[in-house]
Amino acid sequence: EAGVAQSPRYKIIEKRQSVAFWCNPISGHATLYWYQQILGQGPKLLIQFQNNGVVDDSQLPKDRFSAERLKGVDSTLKIQPAKLEDSAVYLCASSGQLSNEQFFGPGTRLTVL
Amino acid sequence: LAKTTQPISMDSYEGQEVNITCSHNNIATNDYITWYQQFPSQGPRFIIQGYKTKVTNEVASLFIPADRKSSTLSLPRVSLSDTAVYYCLVGDMFNDYKLSFGAGTTVTVRA
């Protein structure tokens, strides 16, 4: 089966610019996650969707970050405006109904200059 | 979410067995223990999950003592391709299961 797809793989922007990342989960997976992974650290959960509803966004900096999953399939994460400390890899993961195993995409590496 | 503690790094040689111990003193009754592996420039990958005693799959074994306050991931006969970061996670898989990653253990396998 196809894995979790993410695009773009790399993005370089200047601070105060906006950026968006896209994720297409594994077909049929109801739960979708966005993580932020700063160099040298483990991934940090930003937001979790169950179908198109938000389950947990407690660690999402809502003043600049937003995410949506309008049709319960693919999802977009946006940063507006970006700060230097947003430089990280943004990982998308999905899991199915019968298992809590999360399948991760390759990530998007964001560099904010 | 139960806090986990694991070594920052471990070195090994090809063909040896690698054992990574994770401490989770405040593990709750409904919590499961899960291990993920992450290679550079890739997302984490599920390795193994268990609740108590021993779990084995084609990749690794997971040993959990009776008090469940720690667990040990065992990688048999490692190769250079096993060089990665290994994360120990604890969480309630049936109720709003979330993954909380720590810094993980960087395992370096040398020839």
Side-chain angles (χ1 to χ4, degrees), chain A residues 1-73:
Chain A
E1 71 183 355
V4 175
Q6 290 188 247
S7 68
R9 290 296 312 277
Y10 305 91
K11 189 74 177 178
I12 301 174
I13 62 173
E14 297 194 348
K15 61 183 179 182
R16 292 188 288 274
Q17 285 188 323
S18 301
V19 65
F21 313 127
W22 175 83
C23 172
N24 190 22
I26 291 173
S27 177
H29 279 190
T31 310
L32 185 147
Y33 312 79
W34 282 102
Y35 291 85
Q36 178 193 58
Q37 185 171 25
I38 293 172
L39 187 64
Q41 300 180 17
K44 182 182 85 170
L45 179 67
L46 293 176
I47 188 167
Q48 176 184 349
F49 291 94
Q50 181 75 18
N51 296 308
N52 60 349
V54 176
V55 173
D56 181 6
D57 62 357
S58 58
Q59 299 194 90
L60 186 73
K62 298 180 187 61
D63 58 333
R64 298 183 301 105
F65 286 65
S66 64
E68 59 184 13
R69 193 185 184 199
L70 293 176
K71 297 183 179 179
V73 181

Side-chain angles (χ1 to χ4, degrees), chain A residues 9-10 33 35 37 40-45 48 55-56 91 100-107 109, chain B residues 32 34 36 38 41-46 49 87 92-94 96-104:
Chain A
R9 290 296 312 277
Y10 305 91
Y33 312 79
Y35 291 85
Q37 185 171 25
Q41 300 180 17
K44 182 182 85 170
L45 179 67
Q48 176 184 349
V55 173
D56 181 6
L91 295 162
N100 57 54
E101 177 182 345
Q102 292 189 21
F103 295 83
F104 285 79
R109 182 178 298 278
Chain B
Y32 277 68
T34 309
Y36 278 75
Q38 186 175 27
S41 300
Q42 295 186 26
R45 182 176 71 108
F46 174 93
Q49 182 179 76
Y87 297 98
D92 183 347
M93 64 179 286
F94 294 111
D96 201 18
Y97 186 78
K98 299 185 183 66
L99 294 182
S100 179
F101 288 84

Side-chain angles (χ1 to χ4, degrees), chain B residues 47-88:
Chain B
I47 301 176
I48 198 166
Q49 182 179 76
Y51 183 81
K52 61 180 179 180
T53 61
K54 177 183 174 182
V55 180
T56 298
N57 61 23
E58 64 278 6
V59 177
S61 295
L62 179 60
F63 299 91
I64 306 168
D67 66 4
R68 305 199 328 122
K69 293 184 182 300
S70 67
S71 58
T72 299
L73 174 73
S74 180
L75 306 172
R77 296 180 300 281
V78 294
S79 64
L80 297 176
S81 62
D82 293 314
T83 294
V85 179
Y86 293 82
Y87 297 98
C88 165

